[in-house]
Amino acid sequence: MTTRYGGNHLDFQGGEFNGPFTVNAGYHDHGPAPTALDALPAPAVGFTGREDELRTLLDALDPRASSEPEMVLVAALSGLGGIGKTALAVEAAHEACGKGWFPGGTLFLDLHGYDDDPVSGEQALEALLRALGVEPEHIPVRADERAALYRSVLAERGRERGAVLICADNASSPEQVRPLLPGDVRHRLLVTSRSKLPQLGARLLPLDELTPQEAYELLERALRIADPADSRVVDETGPAAELAAFCGHLPLALQIAAALLVLDRDKPVAELAAELSEFHDRLVHLDDGERSVRAAFDLSYRRLPPDQARLLRLLSLAPGAEVTTEVVTALTGADTPPIRTLDALARAHLVERGSGRGRWRLHDLVRAFGVGVVAGDVGLREEGEAARQRMLEFYCRWADAADDRLQWLPGKPEPERFSDREEALAWFDGERAGLVAAVSWGKEERFADAAGRLAACLGVYLHWRRYFDDLITVCRAARETAHHTGDNVREAIAWNNLGGALQAAGLAEEAIEAHTRARDLYQAVGDRHREASAWNNLGGALRATGLVEEAIEAHTRARDLYQAAGDRRSEAIAWNNVGRALGQAGLAEEAIEALTRARDLYQAARHPHAEAVTWNNLGTVLRNTGRTEEAIEAHGRALEIYQQFEDWYRAGTTLQNLAFAHKDAHRPAEARAHYLQAADAYTRANAPTEAAAARTAANEILTP
């Protein structure tokens, strides 16, 4: 006897039954296993910005391009922890689905790539097969069989329903992702990772921090979502921009900052910005109890091999926003540049390539993280101090060599390290930010000597390039270091240099005070030669404030001290300044005599650049006395030398003096031409204000 129910049956054939019997039978019609093909998380609340990145990502996901030669099956979105990769991926996935690109559904899987127990490729396949409706007992044990079944099920899904989008979030290695590649070209795989994954043959989309405007909008939107009446960001535009900058325009940090403001409705934005302004404590504040920037970075740091972890720590200690490969090598103490290690950190988005090849930088918050790691361990602090000492000595050697080249005069021994001024200036230009920042290390006793030596090497360069703010910073740092260590001579030198920097920046009254402090310190230690320098510089500051009689006296004191010491070159400097002061006082003949003495001394000392200074000053006095043609000749001699030295600021000044002289001679066309040449020279010298004034003067001249 056989009883059938649909395709199932109860077979009693061959059974022996004695008397009546009852059978309880139940029929179970098994439907298809449930699927999870609409598994996208909700879009991030308050998502803002990223318009260009979103457009690029959608272009890569578009399944309509499946027949194109540059067809994209895999898009890998990578970036620093907290940069907003998942939020952008989810936003793009929702928009793509809204366009109807993936009628077959979406699969979303967090691979937990940076957790202690990341999801393996086999585990990921099992999860995706279940999401696709495969019964657990039908999922193969072997990884290759799982991958084959996964591709087959996806292909069938594609034929029946259309393209599927698979989102693999938070991957840490190609091994996690490679088994998830679909075989059907209709489907797309979107991967997010803190590391670039070039091994996948994917369209690589690195993600940077937000723009300042996008960061501002994120803060504003987050506060408005919590309370539509919260106008603190709009009311405090400046502090909000500062807050965004202190957050490094990193979405995670900005979201935490917004949460802190939401939790404390009475807290001004400026107050939170002030709390974050302290670099060493920044990551302490960027924690809202649930999210932490430090914890996010720590996940990446703990996965680094020892050599990469060490290099990241040392890079966080480097001064300046960027460092060159040579500086990195000095930090590590290695004989060869650690290029492979740098490249590995760049792939992990923990190190970024800087403004040019061979230059590297850290995100501000990554730097703060690295500094915190070092500060928390005695052994790492010792390692870091040794690295900083090596880097300072490297800077001192190279800056000293570059300074020697800038101050070299014909007839003197040729400096070895730099072949010409241009090469020395280029090195200084590339390292300027780091050099200036490293001088401040002199506050720490261990680095005081090297930082002081470094500061002494930067004055000529910074003045030449007219980086007066940097020069003032360096001089003040050197002064504080010398005062802290009780070195009166170095403190006096620093005061004197600071006065020169202040005067160059147009702060003559502050310069008078600085040079006076220098003079008094030199007198106290009995250093008559350096006292002469302070007198000379003091005279220049006095002239700048109109105290001409006092200036003449100061320059004369300097001249007499130099004569007594037999220093003819410095004596020439003093004669030149005496001549300028006499000319300013209206004593033209005495001024011409003094300037002629200075010129002759400079010629005898074979110091052409200083000779040009005197020629230019002499031309000015000659013009003021009506000797116009002689003035033009003197300025022309000065201009020729300045151009040879590529001293474009002084060349601009001289060209302007030539314009004055030609105006006096009633030659407007020549005057206008020299004004325009002066504007060009000032532009090359990074003096835009002077350049604009020269162009205005040229435009005001009416030519026939």
Side-chain angles (χ1 to χ4, degrees):
M1 173 182 172
T2 302
T3 303
R4 297 182 180 275
Y5 294 90
N8 299 318
H9 64 274
L10 299 174
D11 190 351
F12 301 114
Q13 185 174 358
E16 296 183 3
F17 310 100
N18 296 313
F21 69 95
T22 302
V23 177
N24 292 321
Y27 169 65
H28 302 281
D29 187 3
H30 294 285
T35 63
L37 282 157
D38 293 300
L40 279 178
V45 176
F47 181 87
T48 186
R50 301 294 194 199
E51 292 181 3
D52 292 340
E53 295 92 337
L54 183 59
R55 188 180 308 111
T56 300
L57 187 51
L58 287 170
D59 287 344
L61 294 178
D62 190 346
R64 296 172 298 179
S66 297
S67 59
E68 297 296 325
E70 297 83 14
M71 176 184 59
V72 177
L73 292 179
V74 185
L77 187 62
S78 64
L80 182 66
I83 204 75
K85 300 178 293 296
T86 301
L88 177 59
V90 170
E91 188 75 16
H94 276 288
E95 189 161 333
C97 291
K99 294 175 180 291
W101 289 353
F102 298 102
T106 55
L107 297 166
F108 187 91
L109 179 65
D110 187 347
L111 296 175
H112 297 280
Y114 296 86
D115 291 355
D116 292 334
D117 187 21
V119 175
S120 68
E122 293 180 29
Q123 292 170 327
L125 283 170
E126 180 180 357
L128 291 176
L129 285 169
R130 289 187 180 219
L132 286 163
V134 177
E135 293 284 0
E137 61 268 23
H138 294 157
I139 297 176
V141 175
R142 290 178 47 179
D144 57 344
E145 293 177 349
R146 285 184 179 181
L149 179 60
Y150 165 73
R151 291 192 296 271
S152 297
V153 173
L154 271 181
E156 183 179 359
R157 182 83 180 183
R159 288 190 296 270
E160 294 179 354
R161 299 285 298 275
V164 175
L165 174 64
I166 306 103
C167 298
D169 189 38
N170 203 17
S172 61
S173 69
E175 290 75 19
Q176 280 185 297
V177 179
R178 194 172 284 114
L180 313 184
L181 297 174
D184 191 324
V185 297
R186 285 173 291 201
H187 306 309
R188 294 291 182 271
L189 174 60
L190 173 58
V191 183
T192 72
S193 176
R194 298 186 183 194
S195 300
K196 297 175 183 176
L197 300 173
Q199 303 91 337
L200 296 175
R203 175 70 56 82
L204 301 180
L205 303 170
L207 197 60
D208 292 326
E209 60 264 24
L210 297 173
T211 66
Q213 181 61 33
E214 289 172 339
Y216 173 88
E217 291 172 359
L218 188 154
L219 288 172
E220 162 67 3
R221 185 170 296 184
L223 266 63
R224 293 287 192 184
I225 288 172
D227 181 357
D230 193 337
S231 61
R232 279 177 290 175
V233 170
V234 173
D235 294 341
E236 300 181 71
T237 303
E242 290 182 358
L243 177 61
F246 290 140
C247 290
H249 302 129
L250 187 76
L252 175 61
L254 292 162
Q255 290 159 2
I256 292 172
L260 295 173
L261 291 171
V262 167
L263 289 170
D264 188 348
R265 183 64 179 82
D266 297 326
K267 191 184 192 78
V269 175
E271 184 177 327
L272 181 57
E275 292 172 359
L276 295 184
S277 66
E278 292 296 327
F279 179 78
H280 294 289
D281 295 333
R282 194 167 297 172
L283 296 190
V284 174
H285 295 289
L286 288 174
D287 185 331
D288 63 3
E290 179 181 347
R291 298 166 296 183
S292 164
V293 173
R294 175 178 284 135
F297 290 168
D298 192 57
L299 290 175
S300 298
Y301 176 74
R302 285 188 288 128
R303 290 184 57 86
L304 295 177
D307 61 330
Q308 295 178 29
R310 176 177 183 264
L311 183 55
L312 182 66
R313 293 193 302 269
L314 298 184
L315 283 173
S316 72
L317 304 177
E322 292 186 354
V323 290
T324 59
T325 302
E326 291 76 18
V327 172
V328 176
T329 307
L331 275 169
T332 62
D335 295 329
T336 57
I339 298 298
R340 292 176 63 87
T341 309
L342 284 166
D343 286 341
L345 289 172
R347 287 194 298 272
H349 288 281
L350 291 169
V351 172
E352 303 170 13
R353 297 191 182 275
S355 57
R357 188 167 182 81
R359 304 187 67 84
W360 310 88
R361 66 181 297 272
L362 297 181
H363 188 280
D364 285 348
L365 297 184
V366 174
R367 184 185 299 276
F369 172 80
V371 168
V373 170
V374 172
D377 183 277
V378 173
L380 297 183
R381 287 201 300 272
E382 293 176 353
E383 175 189 64
E385 288 185 356
R388 292 167 69 199
Q389 187 71 51
R390 287 192 297 269
M391 200 212 69
L392 258 181
E393 293 299 336
F394 167 84
Y395 269 158
C396 284
R397 288 193 303 273
W398 282 78
D400 184 50
D403 186 50
D404 284 348
R405 172 51 73 180
L406 294 187
Q407 299 198 58
W408 176 79
L409 296 173
K412 302 292 184 181
E414 285 269 0
E416 295 180 0
R417 199 177 294 271
F418 294 96
S419 60
D420 54 32
R421 292 176 59 83
E422 184 178 355
E423 188 179 352
L425 287 169
W427 183 84
F428 269 132
D429 289 342
E431 301 291 352
R432 175 169 62 95
L435 292 166
V436 171
V439 171
S440 67
W441 291 359
K443 298 173 185 177
E444 301 173 60
E445 185 175 354
R446 174 172 182 162
F447 306 123
D449 178 70
R453 287 186 280 121
L454 180 60
C457 297
L458 301 182
V460 171
Y461 160 71
L462 292 173
H463 197 281
W464 188 272
R465 287 296 202 211
R466 303 186 63 75
Y467 293 130
F468 297 131
D469 288 344
D470 283 347
L471 184 56
I472 291 170
T473 298
V474 165
C475 292
R476 283 178 171 158
R479 181 200 64 195
E480 292 173 11
T481 297
H483 183 75
H484 179 71
T485 58
D487 190 331
N488 290 335
V489 173
R490 277 194 173 175
E491 184 179 356
I493 293 172
W495 273 115
N496 204 26
N497 291 339
L498 176 59
L502 290 167
Q503 184 176 341
L507 303 172
E509 292 184 358
E510 294 179 48
I512 291 172
E513 180 183 356
H515 289 310
T516 301
R517 295 286 295 271
R519 180 201 63 191
D520 294 346
L521 280 169
Y522 284 137
Q523 287 177 343
V525 299
D527 191 333
R528 303 289 283 173
H529 190 268
R530 288 195 173 103
E531 180 191 339
S533 173
W535 275 114
N536 200 34
N537 292 334
L538 177 59
L542 290 166
R543 276 192 292 110
T545 58
L547 300 173
V548 181
E549 296 300 327
E550 292 90 335
I552 294 173
E553 180 183 354
H555 289 313
T556 302
R557 291 284 297 272
R559 181 200 64 192
D560 294 344
L561 287 169
Y562 284 136
Q563 283 180 338
D567 185 347
R568 294 293 176 260
R569 178 178 169 185
S570 298
E571 181 188 344
I573 296 174
W575 272 116
N576 177 69
N577 288 330
V578 168
R580 293 184 68 185
L582 288 168
Q584 193 171 339
L587 304 171
E589 294 305 319
E590 292 92 332
I592 292 172
E593 181 182 354
L595 290 168
T596 302
R597 289 284 300 273
R599 181 201 63 194
D600 294 344
L601 284 168
Y602 281 135
Q603 287 178 341
R606 300 180 66 183
H607 196 327
H609 186 267
E611 180 189 339
V613 174
T614 306
W615 274 117
N616 196 36
N617 293 335
L618 182 58
T620 298
V621 177
L622 289 167
R623 183 174 63 81
N624 290 337
T625 59
R627 296 158 66 175
T628 306
E629 297 306 321
E630 293 178 67
I632 290 173
E633 181 181 356
H635 289 315
R637 295 286 296 273
L639 178 62
E640 181 181 349
I641 297 172
Y642 286 145
Q643 288 174 334
Q644 290 173 357
F645 277 83
E646 297 184 353
D647 186 345
W648 300 116
Y649 187 85
R650 288 188 175 90
T653 302
T654 306
L655 284 161
Q656 207 162 8
N657 287 336
L658 282 165
F660 296 154
H662 283 291
K663 281 181 67 176
D664 291 346
H666 306 291
R667 293 192 284 264
E670 288 87 342
R672 187 174 191 278
H674 282 93
Y675 273 130
L676 292 174
Q677 292 175 47
D680 291 340
Y682 281 135
T683 299
R684 297 181 71 174
N686 189 31
T689 301
E690 291 88 338
R695 289 191 186 92
T696 299
N699 293 332
E700 290 175 350
I701 294 178
L702 299 177
T703 57

